[in-house]
Amino acid sequence: MSTIDTNDTPQPVKPKIGSYHRHLLVCTGPRCSEDGASQALFDSLGDKFKATGLNNGPLRVKRSRVSCFAACKGGPIVAVQPDGTWYYNVTPENMDRIIDEHLCHGRKVEELVFHQAGDMQAE
C-alpha cells in the first residue's frame, strides 16, 4: 500500500466569508440598464448599508455583482437571497424602499417584485 505525500502538493486555501443574513445580487451587465445605472446602484450600496446598519451585525447583507441574470428588461434588476425575491426597476429611490422594507423589516416591496422563487403561478 502506498501513501501519497500531500506535503509536496500545494493545497488550495479555504476561503472565508463573514456571516450574513441576506445576499443581494445586482445585475451589472450591459443589457440590464442604460448608462451604467446598475453599476452606480451597486456602488451606492456600501454607503446605504452603513447608514442603515446592514454592513454588519445580525442583519448584515452581503452584496455581489452579477454579469447577467438573462432577464434583460426593466433593469436595474436585483435578487435577494435566500428569499428568492427578484426586483425590477430598481432606481435609487426604489433601492431605498427595498433596503428599508425588505432588508431591514422583512417585508417585500410587492409592486417591484417580478419573480418569487417557489411561486408556482403561471406568469
Side-chain angles (χ1 to χ4, degrees):
M1 178 184 286
S2 66
T3 307
I4 299 174
D5 182 4
T6 58
N7 292 331
D8 294 339
T9 306
Q11 296 297 309
V13 176
K14 185 177 183 178
K16 296 179 185 179
I17 295 176
S19 65
Y20 59 92
H21 184 66
R22 290 189 172 97
H23 192 175
L24 186 74
L25 305 169
V26 179
C27 183
T28 58
R31 295 183 301 170
C32 189
S33 63
E34 295 183 21
D35 300 328
S38 294
Q39 182 63 50
L41 180 73
F42 180 84
D43 292 342
S44 74
L45 291 174
D47 289 338
K48 289 177 184 281
F49 286 179
K50 284 178 190 171
T52 55
L54 295 175
N55 62 318
N56 57 36
L59 292 180
R60 179 176 177 254
V61 176
K62 178 174 175 47
R63 63 188 169 113
S64 297
R65 283 181 289 254
V66 178
S67 63
C68 185
F69 279 142
C72 299
K73 294 180 183 174
I77 304 280
V78 302
V80 179
Q81 299 300 341
D83 303 13
T85 305
W86 293 65
Y87 291 105
Y88 75 108
N89 188 32
V90 185
T91 63
E93 296 78 20
N94 286 341
M95 188 71 245
D96 291 342
R97 290 185 62 206
I98 293 166
I99 288 171
D100 179 51
E101 295 177 36
H102 191 149
L103 302 179
C104 289
H105 296 102
R107 298 182 308 262
K108 292 182 268 185
V109 183
E110 293 291 346
E111 65 269 19
L112 299 175
V113 174
F114 75 92
H115 178 76
Q116 179 61 55
D119 187 355
M120 300 305 289
Q121 295 177 7
E123 296 182 9

